[in-house]
Amino acid sequence: MRTGLCGELDATDVGNEVRLCGWVARRREHGEHLAFVDLRDRSGIVQCVVDGSVDLRSEYVVAVRGTVRRRPAGMENPALATGQLEVGDCTVEVLATAEPPPFLVEDRADVDEAVRLRHRYVDLRRPRMQANLRLRATVVSAIRRAMDLQGFCEVETPLLWAPTPEGAREFAVPSRLQKGSFYVLPQSPQIAKQLLMVGGFDRYFQIAKCLRDEDLRADRQFEFTQLDMEASFVTQDDVLDFVSAAVLDAAEAATGERPPAIERMTWTEALDRFGTDKPDLRIPEALVDLGSVFEKTGVRAFAAPTVKGLRVPGGASTSRSRLDALVERAKALGAGGLAWFRIVEPVADGPPGLDSPLARVLSEDEARGLVQATGARPGDLVLAVADEHRAACRVLGQLRVEVAGSPVGQGPHRYAWVVEFPMFESVGADGHPVAAHHPFTMPHPEDLDLMTTDPLAVRSQAYDLVLNGWELGSGSVRIHRADIQAAVFAALGISDEDAESRFGFLMGAFRYGAPPHAGFAFGIDRLAAILAGEESIREVIAFPKTQSGGDPLTGAPKQLAAGSLAELGLRTVAPA
Ligand code: ASP
């Protein structure tokens, strides 16, 4: 139907007769004898000139035949890739008429998201959405190629499945043939991929849909896509290398630039330096330990197990009201308080160089130590929090991000591997520790003895991949030995019967020869969003749900007709 694409015409096409198809982006008529039609397809826009009048409206679908020519001098449009050219002597054939669109098909138009989603098919025509979904496709194909090249086999696993162990609320699907029974939509292919390892597929991957019935936010949808992978006879470092290759290839394909090798740090180090297991490495400043500076302090505010400091370059100009707000914020985050020091040229009656409510009470050594340890210079601000170790790190780490205020999609892309996560994240109400990852994660071999004596100190062989402060994904070396699995289930308070009914089929499979294995999964929506410079994953998903879980386009979720309910053996209860 067409000879090429609107946005791809260039000087070499001058003189050629072309036939282009697309949507009318704009039309301007000059009397009855001349009309300009801006024609849009997925590649861009080109101006078409008709010697006569046209009966067209915005978003009509048309085919245009004409001859490519240079625009007359002075009529070029530098804002358009094809702005030096136009298609002249055009005849226009209307392929489909269109009602006026609900909003302008332009990136500049600021449209309510619910309206965009209700008319997503119009929204998708906007250059931004075209670019985002294409970038996503580039990312997916680069990932697929990288996994192929590394010898991984793509295997599809079922969507109609049984409960999986990620710990999120699950979607259930009623069974028609076995009334009263339900399938569960998988939170991830976790168990299936471990079964594939027992099945001898020693390098598996899948671009997998995962489904979790959890509250939605900018970086979370009910259904999302992961690169899911698992391999046998590999170490943790092998997995990190496999995944790094896929991610760096994808980033390079999307941006044209290969990011440097991904930094690795332990969970403890991440907490110490950044106060979080999702460090944002775009911010150069890290937390520093001020423990030795205030070791013998007489200042009550600093008498705590840990004192952490943070340099804010150029922060000395921060207003008093902003500093007060930061103190309140630190308290809201759970700290007893926040100390701040503007670093100034020496002042008359305080220790040299500090402007702070605490300036007078610090000893000269402490003042000097504070400045030295943080590397602060006149013009900077230093923030300090004193508390239990975790709390001090977490609060100051959160302020580090908030003070820098850089949105996730902006600036360079800084990846990090965080390894050696704790096995358990806390102790639950029932007195049992709560798994930090899922219950199939292998404890660190050196910490096996601590499982019963000091569970919270047990490190695991679990790892996360982080990008600009967003968790991209996680994985672990798995337990393939029945005795260790039993010990972990016991520590988690999962009884033998419970384990049998939930994961019995996996444990059963393990009795038939389970290779040591390890794996990982990362969110492709999140990766694509950041690479596209977007704040929300909805911008890289063709048909996302709104924050409240609805789809304004289809109206889902919807009530089922009485007949359908009966067939499924279901009766609904009216909402309270
Ligand atoms: N199944 C895990 C998840 O979806 C990832 C993994 O451990 O491989 O988070």
Side-chain angles (χ1 to χ4, degrees), residues 9 18 20 46-49 66-69 85-90:
L9 294 180
V18 291
L20 304 170
V46 69
Q47 171 170 291
C48 303
V49 187
T67 306
V68 181
R69 65 191 187 199
L85 308 171
E86 61 188 16
V87 183
D89 302 323
C90 289

Side-chain angles (χ1 to χ4, degrees), residues 25 70 123 162 233 273 366 422 489 498 529 547 568:
R70 266 177 218 294
D123 191 46
F233 311 119
R273 290 172 55 204
E366 288 171 338
F489 281 154
D498 203 13
Q547 207 89 354
L568 294 168

Side-chain angles (χ1 to χ4, degrees), residues 143 146-147 150 152 190 193-194 197 202-205 227-248 262 264 416-419 437-438 442 461-465 473-478 515-522:
I143 290 172
M147 298 311 284
Q150 300 183 98
F152 282 77
Q190 183 63 37
K193 69 177 171 178
Q194 293 195 243
M197 294 302 111
D202 63 1
R203 290 187 181 188
Y204 141 91
F205 86 100
L227 166 75
D228 189 54
M229 60 80 66
E230 194 79 13
S232 299
F233 311 119
V234 294
T235 62
Q236 168 176 307
D237 280 348
D238 292 327
V239 174
L240 268 46
D241 288 343
F242 293 139
V243 177
S244 294
V247 169
L248 296 182
I262 302 178
R264 296 178 189 186
W417 282 111
V418 180
V419 302
H437 197 45
H438 47 61
M442 184 75 103
Q461 298 185 60
Y463 31 85
D464 270 11
L465 179 61
S474 35
S476 58
V477 174
R478 323 296 184 189
H517 57 287
F520 195 77
F522 70 80

Side-chain angles (χ1 to χ4, degrees), residues 25-299:
R26 243 152 68 96
R27 64 177 198 321
R28 300 176 302 286
E29 283 177 65
H30 292 261
E32 285 172 18
H33 302 297
L34 189 61
F36 294 94
V37 178
D38 284 352
L39 185 65
R40 174 185 3 90
D41 64 16
R42 67 169 160 89
S43 66
I45 288 180
V46 69
Q47 171 170 291
C48 303
V49 187
V50 183
D51 298 319
S53 66
V54 289
D55 186 14
L56 297 177
R57 289 176 190 285
S58 287
E59 302 308 315
Y60 271 28
V61 185
V62 297
V64 176
R65 187 183 290 283
T67 306
V68 181
R69 65 191 187 199
R70 266 177 218 294
R71 291 200 194 188
M75 307 294 276
E76 297 90 349
N77 177 359
L80 217 57
T82 61
Q84 303 295 317
L85 308 171
E86 61 188 16
V87 183
D89 302 323
C90 289
T91 53
V92 179
E93 181 192 342
V94 174
L95 303 176
T97 59
E99 290 180 17
F103 44 84
L104 283 181
V105 184
E106 278 179 13
D107 288 344
R108 278 171 302 155
D110 183 19
V111 188
D112 185 59
E113 196 180 25
V115 179
R116 289 178 57 198
L117 293 182
R118 180 163 330 119
H119 301 279
R120 190 62 153 179
Y121 40 83
V122 173
D123 191 46
L124 289 174
R125 285 181 209 156
R126 294 158 55 151
R128 168 178 167 193
M129 289 309 297
Q130 289 279 324
N132 284 358
L133 291 191
R134 263 161 222 294
L135 178 139
R136 182 189 176 111
T138 302
V139 165
V140 170
S141 82
I143 290 172
R144 220 178 226 125
R145 205 172 328 112
M147 298 311 284
D148 265 348
L149 282 173
Q150 300 183 98
F152 282 77
C153 173
E154 186 166 5
V155 181
E156 291 174 74
T157 54
L159 280 179
L160 296 178
W161 191 244
T164 38
E166 253 74 40
R169 193 180 302 112
E170 300 176 304
F171 284 100
V173 179
S175 159
R176 176 179 58 85
L177 296 179
Q178 294 176 42
K179 294 194 179 28
S181 292
F182 294 81
Y183 301 96
V184 166
L185 299 178
Q187 301 180 44
S188 83
Q190 183 63 37
I191 293 186
K193 69 177 171 178
Q194 293 195 243
L195 291 171
L196 285 170
M197 294 302 111
V198 185
F201 284 88
D202 63 1
R203 290 187 181 188
Y204 141 91
F205 86 100
Q206 182 177 195
I207 308 289
K209 269 291 175 86
C210 301
L211 298 116
R212 300 181 189 180
D213 188 1
E214 294 192 292
D215 292 343
L216 306 187
R217 33 172 226 225
D219 62 351
R220 202 146 77 190
Q221 284 271 306
F222 288 149
E223 50 185 305
F224 57 95
T225 309
Q226 288 191 331
L227 166 75
D228 189 54
M229 60 80 66
E230 194 79 13
S232 299
F233 311 119
V234 294
T235 62
Q236 168 176 307
D237 280 348
D238 292 327
V239 174
L240 268 46
D241 288 343
F242 293 139
V243 177
S244 294
V247 169
L248 296 182
D249 282 4
E252 182 175 1
T255 66
E257 227 174 282
R258 190 170 188 84
I262 302 178
E263 189 175 325
R264 296 178 189 186
M265 66 186 84
T266 63
W267 182 87
T268 309
E269 197 184 334
L271 184 70
D272 251 5
R273 290 172 55 204
F274 309 107
T276 171
D277 51 22
K278 301 184 231 321
D280 186 344
L281 300 184
R282 289 172 303 170
I283 309 163
E285 285 66 39
L287 312 185
V288 293
D289 204 64
L290 298 177
S292 55
V293 175
F294 294 109
E295 206 177 354
K296 302 197 186 75
T297 192
V299 183

